[in-house]
Amino acid sequence: NNTIAGTFDGGDHVISNLTVTGTEKRVGLFASTGRGMTIKNVRMNNVNIEGSDYAGAIVGYGLCARLENCHVDGGSITVNVLNNDGGAKAGGIVGYLTAQNVAHLKGSSVKNMTIRAFRDVAGAVGMAQGTACIIDDVLVENVTVIADRYIETYKDNPFPAANAGEVVGRRDSN
């Protein structure tokens, strides 16, 4: 539940072979961002991210975050079910992006990845929430998105529908 705030400028340097595995919620280069954090000019190659909810190569849980010129090429993101509402919100860049004031992802790309989650899964953003959550100029190329909603243990449990998409898995205007 630790968050980071301020500005992170990666200077277009490349971060390669980042591996984050386990059963944690909020996983990625930054697990969770504080209100209004800016992340820009980040390049990542060959990521391996695994957790139980809110997973992205760059940000797991983005509260009013601003991401610009962020690029991920190669690897996988896997979100596993650990409880009745887990296993959700996985994206190639951000698992969950919420805008209480404003949040955006722009001028970014995801390529050559496999992203798998129980629900709310996509090439760039698993779930984008809020009317001020803007996704603009985002390229997704050669990405396999898997919404693996059916789990034998939970087959009779009334889960919300699985949501999968090329760029955004689920958009909620609330």
Side-chain angles (χ1 to χ4, degrees):
N1 290 325
N2 293 330
T3 62
I4 187 167
T7 298
F8 179 83
D9 186 339
D12 283 321
H13 296 284
V14 178
I15 299 169
S16 295
N17 303 315
L18 175 70
T19 298
V20 180
T21 60
T23 59
E24 304 299 322
K25 285 189 170 193
R26 302 181 182 192
V27 293
L29 177 64
F30 298 101
S32 186
T33 65
R35 184 178 307 276
M37 180 171 182
T38 297
I39 300 170
K40 60 185 179 179
N41 306 319
V42 174
R43 297 188 178 279
M44 299 183 75
N45 291 340
N46 193 35
V47 300
N48 179 21
I49 308 290
E50 185 177 327
S52 69
D53 206 351
Y54 308 116
I58 298 175
V59 176
Y61 187 99
L63 174 61
C64 303
R66 294 171 176 89
L67 294 97
E68 303 171 15
N69 193 31
C70 293
H71 305 278
V72 181
D73 190 352
S76 66
I77 297 173
T78 304
V79 176
N80 297 305
V81 174
L82 294 181
N83 58 46
N84 285 346
D85 194 36
K89 299 168 190 63
I93 295 175
V94 182
Y96 178 64
L97 186 61
T98 181
Q100 294 173 347
N101 295 332
V102 67
H104 70 247
L105 171 64
K106 66 180 183 178
S108 299
S109 67
V110 179
K111 298 178 182 178
N112 307 312
M113 292 190 70
T114 299
I115 304 166
R116 181 184 192 123
F118 186 66
R119 60 185 173 95
D120 302 337
V121 57
V125 180
M127 180 176 175
Q129 185 171 28
T131 56
C133 189
I134 301 162
I135 313 295
D136 186 37
D137 189 26
V138 176
L139 171 69
V140 174
E141 185 176 273
N142 194 32
V143 174
T144 301
V145 173
I146 302 166
D148 190 9
R149 187 174 177 275
Y150 183 81
I151 305 288
E152 184 64 31
T153 307
Y154 299 109
K155 68 181 179 182
D156 297 321
N157 198 338
F159 279 104
N163 302 288
E166 180 180 354
V167 176
V168 177
R170 176 167 54 134
R171 182 172 278 288
D172 185 350
S173 60
N174 294 325

